[in-house]
Amino acid sequence: MTERVATTLGLYPLPDWAKDELSDLKGHQRADLVDGSEGPDVRAAYERVREDLITDQREAGLDRIVEGQGRWDDWLAHPLAVHDSVETGGIVRYYDNNNFYRDPRVVDDLTVDGDVAAELDAATGLLNEGESLQAVLPGPYTLAELATDEHYGDDAEFLAAIAEFLAAEVEALPPHETLFLLDPSLVTDPPEGETNERVSDAVDTVASATDADVVFQSYWGAHEEKTYAHLMDADVDAFGFDFVAGNRETHLYNVNEYGTKGDISLGLVDGQNTAVEDPGTVAERIDWVTEQIPDQTFDTVYATPNTELAYLPVSTYKQKLSVLAEAVETPEVSA
């Protein structure tokens, strides 16, 4: 029987109290922030943010608990933006929306950093017995695309270095049930030619660094056919599909033409729209998608938002967490 799991892609909005408090604290600690360090008051505030974000997921009833990435001011570029071998440049628009990040300019070898592992270690200490931790990281292609290479000098070498860096970060993580790798650049700026094969190899490098179930999720569209065909060679447990902003016909064509993995992740709740979905409708969408893939029975179906949730007001984000939890509890409709 297929297991339905309610989870998210992380990157949650800051609690309302934290927005002003952190803004004030960072304003008084600009000297510390130049090199990516944080003063004790800022660290303490983020610890409270983490507690709030985990409580939100617990109260909603999600099946996997993420750390929430409240510190990730630079969005998916964060793991590089805080690295000692990276200098942060000017402000860059984050994809095609009104969010921004500091351009991470890689100027030296990317060695293991442990920043994300420290976050997840702290999150582990907040979990109750029986709760399952989910790690979230950018995929290697997206992280390479969001960065500027001023050290390696070759696109293929840079992508491989990013993959090795992410793999080392994964190896440092505490035990986790699932790992979501978020790689939207594969949709918004798809690779060409031999880069497709290199991307598949890079994903393999990262995925092989954990014994957890690995979900590789892109969004803001559907994969080009050649990209998807190459990704099928990557040793991950599930692919994730954006059924909100993506072209569902293209998703289904790729899956039915080239196959997919034994698990699947479905982005069915809009992470950028304040309209709150009905749980029954989301459950029906899960049924509909799986019915369109008649040749495969999935071991696990992950129900997720189609994007990060930091775009939403706090009250709406909490509602959407509950929608996901309720949707997977809705009985499956028999064909």
Side-chain angles (χ1 to χ4, degrees):
M1 184 176 179
T2 299
E3 179 185 15
R4 294 188 174 187
V5 171
T7 189
T8 67
L9 310 189
L11 277 161
Y12 292 165
L14 288 173
D16 290 331
W17 65 263
K19 295 171 186 175
D20 291 338
E21 183 170 326
L22 281 165
S23 178
D24 290 343
L25 287 171
K26 290 181 179 182
H28 289 97
Q29 298 181 20
R30 292 193 185 281
D32 290 336
L33 294 171
V34 167
D35 63 0
S37 63
E38 298 161 339
D41 291 341
V42 172
R43 289 196 296 271
Y46 278 128
E47 288 172 5
R48 291 163 56 203
V49 167
R50 180 182 300 114
E51 292 173 3
D52 282 5
L53 299 182
I54 289 177
T55 298
D56 291 343
Q57 297 169 81
R58 179 178 296 131
E59 291 179 346
L62 292 186
D63 298 305
R64 299 286 186 275
I65 303 293
V66 301
E67 190 270 341
Q69 293 78 47
R71 290 177 57 240
W72 290 28
D73 293 341
D74 298 291
W75 297 77
L76 292 180
H78 170 85
L80 286 184
V82 297
H83 197 284
D84 288 342
S85 297
V86 175
E87 297 175 356
T88 50
I91 300 299
V92 184
R93 185 179 293 275
Y94 183 72
Y95 296 98
D96 189 20
N97 56 51
N98 292 322
N99 295 280
F100 301 88
Y101 67 101
R102 298 170 299 169
D103 177 23
R105 312 180 79 84
V106 179
V107 297
D108 204 346
D109 289 346
L110 290 173
T111 55
V112 63
D113 178 75
D115 181 83
V116 177
E119 290 181 336
L120 290 186
D121 280 335
T124 298
L126 298 173
L127 296 185
N128 292 335
E129 185 177 354
E131 291 181 333
S132 298
L133 181 68
Q134 176 178 301
V136 175
L137 280 169
Y141 182 76
T142 283
L143 194 55
E145 288 293 297
L146 293 177
T148 299
D149 174 27
E150 296 184 355
H151 175 66
Y152 292 94
D154 176 81
D155 288 347
E157 185 178 351
F158 187 50
L159 178 61
I162 291 285
E164 292 290 348
F165 161 68
L166 287 172
E169 296 301 292
V170 170
E171 288 176 351
L173 298 179
H176 48 286
E177 184 83 7
T178 47
L179 167 64
F180 268 60
L181 295 176
L182 310 183
D183 221 321
S185 289
L186 281 173
V187 167
T188 63
D189 188 20
E192 299 178 354
E194 294 180 357
T195 305
N196 281 291
E197 185 174 350
R198 291 197 290 269
V199 169
S200 180
D201 291 341
V203 174
D204 259 351
T205 297
V206 183
S208 64
T210 180
D211 293 329
D213 292 332
V214 178
V215 181
F216 186 75
Q217 190 138 341
S218 299
Y219 40 99
W220 290 319
H223 289 301
E224 290 188 353
E225 184 175 353
K226 186 173 184 179
T227 298
Y228 183 83
H230 277 282
L231 285 174
M232 271 300 295
D233 293 332
D235 189 17
V236 298
D237 298 280
F239 285 141
F241 302 92
D242 180 351
F243 274 89
V244 175
N247 184 313
R248 64 184 185 182
E249 287 77 18
T250 303
H251 288 321
L252 294 172
Y253 169 80
N254 286 337
V255 168
N256 287 314
E257 181 70 17
Y258 298 101
T260 194
K261 302 298 182 176
D263 301 334
I264 193 169
S265 182
L266 305 177
L268 297 170
V269 168
D270 196 329
Q272 296 182 279
N273 192 311
T274 56
V276 178
E277 294 83 355
D278 176 75
T281 301
V282 175
E284 290 172 2
R285 292 172 183 170
I286 298 173
D287 292 337
W288 183 86
V289 173
T290 55
E291 288 166 2
Q292 306 311 304
I293 310 171
D295 294 334
Q296 186 156 352
T297 300
F298 296 103
D299 295 325
T300 304
V301 174
Y302 297 91
T304 75
N306 70 316
T307 67
E308 310 102 329
L309 291 174
Y311 309 97
L312 299 174
V314 172
S315 59
T316 308
Y317 128 83
K318 291 181 179 180
Q319 289 176 290
K320 299 225 177 194
L321 298 185
S322 296
V323 166
L324 289 164
E326 292 176 34
V328 301
E329 295 300 323
T330 302
E332 185 175 351
V333 176
S334 300

